[in-house]
Amino acid sequence: MASVYEQMTNEELDEQIAQLEAEAEKLRARGLKLDMARGKPSPEQVDLSRPMLDVLTSSTDLVDEGVDAGNYGCPDGLPAARRLMADLLGVDADNLILGGSSSLNIMHDVIVHGWIHGVRGCEPHAVQAARGPLKFLCPSPGYDRHFAVSASVGYTNVPIRMTPEGPDMDEVVRLVENDPTVKGIWCVPKYSNPTGITYSDEVVRRFAALRPAAPDFRIFWDNAYAIHDLNEEPDYLLDIFGAVSAEDHDNLVYEFASTSKVTFPGSGIACVVASPADIADLRKTFNVERVCSDKLMQLAHVRWFGDADGVRAHMVEHARILAPRFELVDEKLESGLGDLECATWSHPRGGYFVSFDGPKGSAKKIVALAEELGVKMTPAGATWPYGKDPDDTNIRIAPSYPSLEDLGAALDVFVTCVRLVSARLAREAR
Ligand code: PLP
C-alpha cells in the first residue's frame, strides 16, 4: 500500500518535509543523549535481585545435597540448580549441563567443539571446511551476536527469511535436507530477538521432523526468553525435545538458556540441554576446559528462589516494570505513524525487543538521523548476517533500559526521524 507521503502532491510533500525538518532542528537543540540500542534490563529490574546477594555470607552452609559448592567437584553443576533450570525449561535434568554465567559463552564453546573435535565422532568441521565452506543458517532479522559467533569461527552465514510463524521452513527444509555443508541453524524460538514472535507448533514440528543431509547438523535452540512473558496471556512454545522424540529421532537439538534476564546479566547461571548422546559428547570437551562450574552462584539461585515457582513469581515483577515500556512503544508508534502507512512493527507478548520496518532504503538513514538528534539505536542492518539487510528496512527497538520518561523522549525523536526519512524517500522517488 502507498504511504500517505507517496500520495501527496509535490507541494504538499515539500511543505511536510519543511515542517519535519523544523521539528528535527528543535529536537537537535535539546541536546538529548538517549540509548535504545541494547536489550539490557533497567536498573530497577536488576535491583529486584539484589536480596539474592545477601543469601551467601561467610557463615552460610555451602554444602547442598552432599555437594560442597565451595570446592571443586560436580562439573555438570550443582544438582539442585540443574533441576531448577530443567524445571523451568521442561527438560530432563540429566540432559542439562550448567556452565559459567553466559549462555552465549556456552553457544560459542559448543560451536568450537564441532569445529575442532567434530560432532559425535564426525570429522571436525575445521577439516571439512578445508574442502569448501560450511554454512550456518541465520533466520533474519535475528540476533547479531549469534551471527557473529558462527562467522568468527569460520562458517558462512546464510540468511533465512523470518515469517510471522518462525523461519521460512520450506527454505530451511530445502537447505538442511539437501546440502551436507549446512551444519547449524540459529533459533530464538520464543519471543524471538528481535521480532518478538514465538514459533508456531507447525514450525517446531517441522524442525523436529528434519532429516538433515549432514549427520553433524544441529539446531541451536536459544531459549533465552523462555520465561520472559510480559502479561498473563503468554505465548506457548511447543517442547522441541518432545517433538523430536515424537518423530522417533534424537541428536538434533542443542538448547541454551540463562538467568541473565532473570537475576544479573552476565553474572547468573547458564546451561545447555541436549540428547543423552550429545550431552555426553559435549561433556568430554567441557571437562577439558574446566574443573567445575561456578557452583556458588548456582547455590545462591537455588537458595533464594527455592523452586521454579519462585522464579516465575520473580518474572512477574520483571513484567510489571517492562510491560509499561512496551505499551509506550506501541502508543508512540501508533500515534506518530499509525495513519501514515509507511511502517510496521511487532507487538510482542514477551522478550526484550520490538522489531520495526520502515520503507525500503530507510533504516540506515533513520538510525543515522536519530543518532544525530541524540538517540542511539542498534545499528541498522545488525539484525542480518554481515550487517546486510537486503531491503534496508529493519530496526531493532530495545525499550527495556531507559526510564519511561527517557524512552518517551527517545521515541518522539525516532518517530520524527521515521516521518522525515519516509517523506524524503517519497520525494526522491519522483
Ligand atoms: N541469546 C539471546 C537471544 C539474547 O538476546 C541474549 C542477550 O541479549 C543472549 C543470548 C545473551 O545471553 P547470556 O547473557 O546468557 O550470554
Side-chain angles (χ1 to χ4, degrees), residues 102-104 107 143 146 188 193 222 224-225 258 260-261 266 353:
S102 155
S103 60
L104 195 72
M107 292 175 226
Y143 180 36
H146 280 164
V188 184
N193 176 352
D222 179 3
Y225 301 107
S258 80
S260 273
K261 284 160 185 164
F353 304 101

Side-chain angles (χ1 to χ4, degrees), residues 150-203:
S150 41
S152 79
V153 170
Y155 299 90
T156 301
N157 282 337
V158 178
I160 300 286
R161 281 261 170 206
M162 278 294 274
T163 77
E165 307 274 294
D168 174 350
M169 287 311 290
D170 289 341
E171 190 61 359
V172 171
V173 170
R174 188 181 70 78
L175 290 169
V176 172
E177 298 198 347
N178 294 298
D179 182 350
T181 69
V182 173
K183 299 300 183 186
I185 180 167
W186 290 115
C187 293
V188 184
K190 192 167 173 193
Y191 305 134
S192 171
N193 176 352
T195 67
I197 65 121
T198 296
Y199 294 6
S200 68
D201 292 359
E202 167 72 9
V203 163

